[in-house]
Amino acid sequence: MQMAKKKKVHLKYGVKKFLAYFIVLLLILIYAINEGKKLHEKDLYEKSYEYKLIQKKYPEAEAKKLAATLTDENLETLTKEKYNEIYYQIVSEKYYLNKNFNKYLTYYDNHPYTELSKIIALVNTRADELWYTKPEKTDVEAGYLMLVNKFNYLEADYERIDLEAFDLSVSYGSYGDNKAAKIVVENYDKMQAEVKRLFDVQIMVTAGYRSYSTQQEMFDAYGEDYVARPGHSEHQTGLGIDIVSPRHPSVQDFFESEEGKWIVENCWQYGFIIRFPEDKEDITGYDNDALHIRYVGQTDAKKMKDEHLSLDEYYAYYVIGDK
Ligand SMILES: [Zn+2]
C-alpha cells in the first residue's frame, strides 16, 4: 500500500509580497473606478432636465414627470423660466396628449380662467380653432367610430351600402323614407320596443341617413346657421339618427321626460351615444335641436358614457392619441 504524500506548496517570500501589493492595488483601482462612475453619474444627473428643474424650485415629483414627458425643446424653455405649477398640472390631466402641449399653453395664456380639463378637450378636438378650419378627410376605416364633425368630412361619393329602412310597424309615426345602417335599425328597433314597454310611448325617427347631395340641398335651403356643411353631417355616415317623443315634441321636454332620461341613461346598451350632449356644445359645435343619437357599438358607447366624453373627445384620445 502506498502512502499518500502530503505536498505542501511553499511560496517564496518575494511572490507573497508581490501578491499582497497586487491585491491592494486592485482594491484601490476598483475603488477609483467606482468613485469615477459616481462622479460621472452625478455629472450626468446635473446636466439632466430633472436636476435643472429642481434647481428652479420644481418639487422632485414634478421635475421627474416633466422631464420624462416633455420634449427637450420645451424642457429647455422651462429651465429658463421661473417655477410654474401649471406645466405639471397640464401633463397630469387625464386626456393630456404630448403633441398638444404648446397648444394647451397658448390656449391657457389667452383664457387663464378656463378649467384645464376643458382646455385639454377643446385643443384635442381642435375646437379651439374656428369651425371648419383645415378640415380633414374622415377615416372611414374607423368603422362605427368614424368621426364626422366640423373638422372631419366625408367625400361626396361616400355612401353606405348597408342602408335599411326603419320598420314603420315598430317605429310608427317616423318619416316614411328614413333609412340608416342595418345595425342602427336593428338596435334602434330593440331600444324602441323597450321604451314602448316601459313608458307606453312610441319614439319616432325624424331623420336618418342623408346623402351628400341631400345635405347640399338642405344647406342651400336653410343655410349655415341651421344645417351642417355638406360632407360634415353625421347623417351621411348612416350611423346617426334624430329621434323625438310625440308626447314631448320639444327637445328640452324630451330630455326631461321619463322616456328621454331613460334613453340618455340606457342607450349605450344598444350601442348608442347622445352625440351632442348639452354641456359639450363648445366641443361638438352643435346644440340639440333634436335628440340625435349615434351608433358606435356597445363597448365604446359604455366607455364614452362612463367617462362622459363626446365622440370627438373619445376619438381624439383613444383612436388617434399621440400620433
Ligand atoms: Zn341629427
Side-chain angles (χ1 to χ4, degrees), residues 153-292:
Y153 65 91
L154 288 169
E155 291 186 295
D157 60 0
Y158 178 80
E159 267 179 64
R160 279 206 87 90
I161 48 164
D162 60 345
L163 292 173
E164 225 174 60
F166 287 94
D167 181 353
L168 291 184
S169 66
V170 179
S171 301
Y172 169 79
S174 301
Y175 299 177
D177 54 353
N178 276 322
K179 290 178 180 168
K182 188 171 188 280
I183 196 155
V184 173
V185 176
E186 283 170 2
N187 280 283
Y188 171 77
D189 284 348
K190 275 187 221 158
M191 183 171 80
Q192 154 58 23
E194 186 62 3
V195 172
K196 175 95 170 67
R197 190 183 72 80
L198 290 169
F199 308 107
D200 193 31
V201 62
Q202 193 81 53
I203 302 298
M204 303 188 300
V205 178
T206 54
Y209 170 75
R210 282 201 295 266
S211 68
Y212 187 95
S213 54
T214 308
Q215 190 69 26
Q216 180 79 60
E217 284 163 23
M218 283 181 67
F219 184 78
D220 293 343
Y222 300 105
E224 176 114 46
D225 289 346
Y226 300 99
V227 178
R229 286 187 190 177
H232 290 272
S233 168
E234 255 231 337
H235 288 276
Q236 197 186 336
T237 65
L239 299 170
I241 56 176
D242 295 343
I243 57 176
V244 74
S245 169
R247 240 187 241 163
H248 305 95
S250 95
V251 185
Q252 203 48 50
D253 289 350
F254 188 12
F255 266 111
E256 281 160 17
S257 68
E258 51 181 7
E259 63 269 29
K261 282 181 186 156
W262 187 90
I263 289 170
V264 170
E265 265 322 293
N266 297 285
C267 65
W268 69 267
Q269 295 185 44
Y270 304 89
F272 290 108
I273 54 164
I274 306 299
R275 180 65 182 89
F276 306 117
E278 272 182 305
D279 58 344
K280 301 272 182 179
E281 208 182 312
D282 45 358
I283 287 158
T284 64
Y286 290 98
D287 57 2
N288 272 292
D289 54 353
L291 213 172
H292 177 118

Side-chain angles (χ1 to χ4, degrees), residues 40-227:
H40 180 66
E41 276 165 6
K42 187 168 172 268
D43 205 41
L44 271 185
Y45 181 68
E46 284 175 5
K47 280 183 186 146
S48 73
Y49 286 114
E50 182 183 325
Y51 178 82
K52 288 180 191 168
L53 290 173
I54 289 171
Q55 299 311 298
K56 286 280 174 178
K57 306 276 184 282
Y58 278 82
E60 203 180 315
E62 293 191 20
K64 259 199 169 69
K65 178 151 184 162
L66 288 168
T69 309
L70 298 179
T71 62
D72 286 359
E73 205 185 335
N74 282 322
L75 286 164
E76 203 58 51
T77 313
L78 259 61
T79 55
K80 290 187 178 107
E81 293 172 0
K82 278 197 300 190
Y83 168 67
N84 192 338
E85 61 188 2
I86 191 69
Y87 302 123
Y88 181 71
Q89 288 170 1
I90 289 176
V91 302
S92 303
E93 275 293 319
K94 181 163 182 197
Y95 300 106
Y96 170 81
L97 292 174
N98 214 25
K99 64 179 181 188
N100 290 337
F101 180 73
N102 291 320
K103 287 188 193 159
Y104 301 139
L105 278 184
T106 307
Y107 196 92
Y108 173 76
D109 286 341
N110 296 324
H111 311 83
Y113 299 110
T114 307
E115 252 180 86
L116 273 187
S117 59
K118 178 60 88 179
I119 295 179
I120 303 285
L122 289 168
V123 170
N124 284 0
T125 58
R126 295 185 59 208
D128 59 324
E129 301 176 43
L130 284 175
W131 300 129
Y132 297 114
T133 303
K134 286 190 210 142
E136 290 168 31
K137 213 160 71 174
T138 292
D139 178 12
V140 297
E141 299 292 312
Y144 297 138
L145 286 176
M146 76 165 80
L147 181 66
V148 174
N149 60 14
K150 293 185 196 269
F151 298 103
N152 295 271
Y153 65 91
L154 288 169
E155 291 186 295
D157 60 0
Y158 178 80
E159 267 179 64
R160 279 206 87 90
I161 48 164
D162 60 345
L163 292 173
E164 225 174 60
F166 287 94
D167 181 353
L168 291 184
S169 66
V170 179
S171 301
Y172 169 79
S174 301
Y175 299 177
D177 54 353
N178 276 322
K179 290 178 180 168
K182 188 171 188 280
I183 196 155
V184 173
V185 176
E186 283 170 2
N187 280 283
Y188 171 77
D189 284 348
K190 275 187 221 158
M191 183 171 80
Q192 154 58 23
E194 186 62 3
V195 172
K196 175 95 170 67
R197 190 183 72 80
L198 290 169
F199 308 107
D200 193 31
V201 62
Q202 193 81 53
I203 302 298
M204 303 188 300
V205 178
T206 54
Y209 170 75
R210 282 201 295 266
S211 68
Y212 187 95
S213 54
T214 308
Q215 190 69 26
Q216 180 79 60
E217 284 163 23
M218 283 181 67
F219 184 78
D220 293 343
Y222 300 105
E224 176 114 46
D225 289 346
Y226 300 99
V227 178

